[in-house]
Amino acid sequence: MTGRPSASRRTIIRGAALTPVAGLGLAACGPGGGAGPSAPTAPVDLGAESAIPQGGAKLYRDHNVVVSKDASGALKAFSSICTHAGCAINKLQGTTLVCPCHGSEFDATTGEVVRSPATQPLEELPVHAKGGKVVAGPGA
């Protein structure tokens, strides 16, 4: 006998049952961890330009896009998929996007990170307004 206590059958079974669960949790937290939400891959009609406040931003959760309008009326659009772990950002406070997964924050007017753990800015998307309607995404 080695003097070390041996693992009980119950301990071994519990460990075997929890291993796949732990693996799923780690995969979900990793960058690009699975088929999560994505930014538009084609132009998307976002509706009325008047819905975006001058000097502010509007989050379009259904399309994973945020659009801001500066004081001169110029529009900028960004993917609202967090660059840290690929989570869909679902909260806009003023012009700050807040990721629900790990608390990263981004400036909705520049796409820049204002609070880690994210280190990369949001992906900028083409955007334009025509006839009072906003269209964003590749090819817009």
Side-chain angles (χ1 to χ4, degrees):
M1 197 162 221
T2 64
R4 250 195 263 167
S6 62
S8 71
R9 182 175 166 188
R10 181 177 292 164
T11 302
I12 292 170
I13 291 171
R14 185 180 304 139
L18 291 177
T19 300
V21 173
L24 285 173
L26 288 174
C29 287
S38 64
T41 56
V44 232
D45 182 354
L46 299 174
E49 181 182 6
S50 61
I52 305 165
Q54 195 99 4
K58 179 166 174 52
L59 178 60
Y60 298 89
R61 288 180 188 92
D62 293 347
H63 299 292
N64 296 318
V65 173
V66 63
V67 179
S68 65
K69 186 189 299 183
D70 69 16
S72 73
L75 299 174
K76 276 201 165 188
F78 298 93
S79 164
S80 60
I81 302 300
C82 182
T83 58
H84 171 248
C87 296
I89 297 172
N90 62 3
K91 188 176 190 180
L92 178 65
Q93 295 176 323
T95 58
T96 301
L97 292 160
V98 182
C99 180
C101 294
H102 302 106
S104 293
E105 294 181 3
F106 300 87
D107 183 329
T109 64
T110 65
E112 293 298 316
V113 176
V114 294
R115 182 172 174 219
S116 59
T119 58
Q120 298 296 312
L122 295 173
E123 174 190 356
E124 188 166 358
L125 301 171
V127 63
H128 73 271
K130 186 173 182 180
K133 300 284 185 189
V134 176
V135 178

